[in-house]
Each structure stands twice: as structure tokens, then as C-alpha cells.
Amino acid sequence: MSLRTTVTRLGVVAAGGALAALTVTGPATALDDTGGADKKPPVYKGRVTAKSGLLLRTAPTRGSKVVRSVPHGKVVTIFCKTKGDRVVNNNLWYLLTDGTWAWGSAHYIANIGKVPRWC
């Protein structure tokens, strides 16, 4: 793994930790271009397609620690996507926000509606 890849992954993990901290303290209110309060960020959804359930991890890598699993067919909330380890020809991973901030391989999550934004 290159130094750039390692640094990128560490940055994404750090961002995930910062995002998790925001859920505890609450986000600061931002102003939009019109000077009013910013709208909530878009909500992205997906359905787990892995027959035996989807393992959620601490980083977008196959070797990172498993945090929990999500059963087949469950609808999950996706915060954003990033590149990580390749899983069956797909290197995209989704940061999920259902209870814990954890990463799931996009290969096993079917988008419902819009494709998630980049992290």
C-alpha cells in the first residue's frame, strides 16, 4: 500500500471519528448563500444485499475491525462514499450512520434513490 493511500485512509477514518463526535455534541448551524440557516445534509439510503448479512468495519478496508453486522434486506442510512479495498471488483465503501459510524462495502448495498456523495 502506498503512503498516499495510507494517509488518505487515515484521513477518512479521522473524518469518521469527527463525524461521530458531532452526533454527540450536535452540529454547528451553518449559513447558506442567502444568509439563512443551512438545510440538513441529504439523506442517502441503501438496502443490504449480502445473503448472510453485511459486516460493518472501522475503516474502508477488508482487514479492519468488524464493528457489527446488518442483516440481509435491511435499509441503511448512508452518509458518504469513498474508495477503499476492492470487494468483488468494486472499491467503493459507504459510511453508514445507523447507530454507529461504520463502513460497509458498496458491493453489498443497493442504492435507493440518489447515489451517495463523496466523503
Side-chain angles (χ1 to χ4, degrees):
M1 181 177 348
S2 73
L3 178 59
R4 180 176 180 210
T5 301
T6 302
V7 170
T8 301
R9 288 185 181 164
L10 288 174
V12 169
V13 170
L19 292 171
L22 282 176
T23 62
V24 174
T25 61
T29 303
L31 297 179
D32 63 18
D33 292 338
T34 63
D38 198 6
K39 297 179 214 162
K40 290 185 178 183
V43 176
Y44 305 101
K45 297 284 186 177
R47 185 176 310 278
V48 174
T49 61
K51 296 295 182 196
S52 59
L54 175 64
L55 297 178
L56 300 183
R57 300 178 178 276
T58 57
T61 61
R62 294 169 55 196
S64 60
K65 181 180 174 188
V66 174
V67 177
R68 64 185 178 96
S69 66
V70 180
H72 176 267
K74 173 91 172 161
V75 174
V76 293
T77 304
I78 303 166
F79 185 75
C80 61
K81 67 182 173 185
T82 194
K83 290 183 180 180
D85 283 356
R86 190 169 293 281
V87 176
V88 192
N89 263 348
N90 186 338
N91 68 343
L92 295 179
W93 288 70
Y94 293 153
L95 179 58
L96 306 182
T97 62
D98 300 311
T100 57
W101 291 77
W103 295 95
S105 171
H107 177 75
Y108 295 110
I109 301 173
N111 294 323
I112 300 172
K114 293 182 180 180
V115 176
R117 65 188 173 134
W118 289 97
C119 295

